[in-house]
Amino acid sequence: SMVEEARAVHAEKRATDESIGRFGAEFMPAEGKVMTQCNAGALATAGIGTALGVIRVAVEQGHKLHVLVPETRPYLQGARLTAWELHEGGVPLTLITDNMVGHFMKTGTVGAVVVGADRIAANGDTANKIGTYQIAVLAREHGVPFYVAAPVSTFDLTISSGEQIPIEERSAEEVTHLRGVRIAPDVAVANPAFDVTPARLITAIICERGVARAPYTESLRRLAGSVAIATPG
C-alpha cells in the first residue's frame, strides 16, 4: 500500500508539472534565449519540473530555446543540477556565473525569465533561491518578462506579503569553502538561502490551474479556490 501511495503521489506531481508546463509554454519565445535560476526541474519536484517543465513543454511544442543557467552560488544548484538535467534532456544551454546575468540582459538576447518558487504570499511576493530578486530587477530594467512557475501548494494566502516569509540562513562553510577547501579568510559570513521578489516585478504566476496576473490578491485567491486542474486554451 505504501508503494501504491508513492506511485499515486508521483503521478499527481507529474500531472501538476505537466499542466504548469502547458500553461507556461505559451509565454516562452518561439525562438531565442530564456533564463532560469536554481533548480526547478525533475530533481526538485519528482515530475518534469515547474520552471524547467515550462521550458521542456515549450521545446516539445517546437520552440527553439536556448537556456542561460546561472550557477546559483554558493551551493551551485544551477551548475550541478539544472545544467545536468537540461543537458541530459537534450535542451541547448549555456552555463554562466551569477555575476554575468546583467551582461546578458543588457545585450538583449534574453526573451524571458522563468523561475520556480518556494512560497508565494497573498499579494504575489515570491520567495525563491537567493539571486532571484536581482534577476527580476535586471529583467524589469531591460524589458524582459519575468514569470514564476509553481504549484498551488506554494501559495500561502495566510500571509499578506513577502515581508512575513522567514529566510533560512545556511552554513557559512558553503561560502568560505569549496569541496572542503577553504577559499576565504576566517571572517563573518552571510548566507541567506532565499530572497523575496516583490509582486510588482512579476509578469505572471503560472500554476497547474491557470495563470495569475496582477492584482495577485484577487487572481491567486481565485486559483487557490478552484478545484480541478484546468487545461490551456
Side-chain angles (χ1 to χ4, degrees):
S1 61
M2 290 178 65
V3 171
E4 289 176 359
E5 179 64 19
R7 287 174 174 163
V9 170
H10 184 212
E12 180 182 352
K13 283 302 305 173
R14 187 172 182 88
T16 295
D17 287 0
E18 288 175 350
S19 185
I20 292 172
R22 291 193 299 272
F23 277 113
E26 65 182 83
F27 297 106
M28 296 296 99
E31 185 174 357
K33 291 186 174 66
V34 297
M35 185 179 291
T36 189
Q37 169 71 350
C38 193
N39 181 260
L43 292 170
T45 72
I48 63 170
T50 52
L52 288 196
V54 168
I55 293 170
R56 286 179 183 276
V57 172
V59 170
E60 289 173 1
Q61 291 179 352
H63 296 237
K64 294 178 171 52
L65 300 181
H66 187 108
V67 188
L68 293 175
V69 181
E71 60 186 340
T72 320
R73 281 281 293 158
Y75 210 53
L76 301 175
Q77 295 98 322
R80 295 185 300 107
L81 306 179
T82 301
W84 180 83
E85 280 197 49
L86 291 170
H87 181 66
E88 288 292 304
V91 179
L93 75 135
T94 297
L95 179 64
I96 64 175
T97 62
D98 292 346
N99 56 357
M100 295 178 185
V101 169
H103 166 75
F104 284 101
M105 291 283 189
K106 187 178 179 181
T107 59
T109 60
V110 180
V113 177
V114 57
V115 301
D118 289 84
R119 196 171 180 184
I120 301 174
N123 71 340
D125 291 352
T126 296
N128 193 49
K129 188 57 62 181
I130 191 74
T132 303
Y133 170 56
Q134 64 194 23
I135 293 177
V137 170
L138 287 162
R140 173 60 62 88
E141 171 66 19
H142 296 291
V144 178
F146 182 93
Y147 300 106
V148 172
V152 171
S153 60
T154 62
F155 296 2
D156 187 351
L157 305 187
T158 67
I159 58 174
S160 60
S161 75
E163 293 180 1
Q164 297 167 268
I165 299 176
I167 302 298
E168 175 190 3
E169 186 76 20
R170 291 181 61 89
S171 168
E173 289 191 356
E174 291 181 359
V175 178
T176 59
H177 290 67
L178 185 63
R179 292 186 177 274
V181 177
R182 177 175 282 276
I183 59 173
D186 187 12
V187 295
V189 172
N191 186 19
F194 306 93
D195 57 27
V196 176
T197 298
R200 68 179 182 276
L201 300 178
I202 299 171
T203 307
I205 297 173
I206 304 156
C207 73
E208 70 271 29
R209 299 177 184 174
V211 179
R213 294 184 181 274
Y216 291 109
T217 50
E218 298 174 8
S219 58
L220 291 177
R221 186 181 301 111
R222 184 174 62 253
L223 287 171
S226 62
V227 178
I229 293 179
T231 56

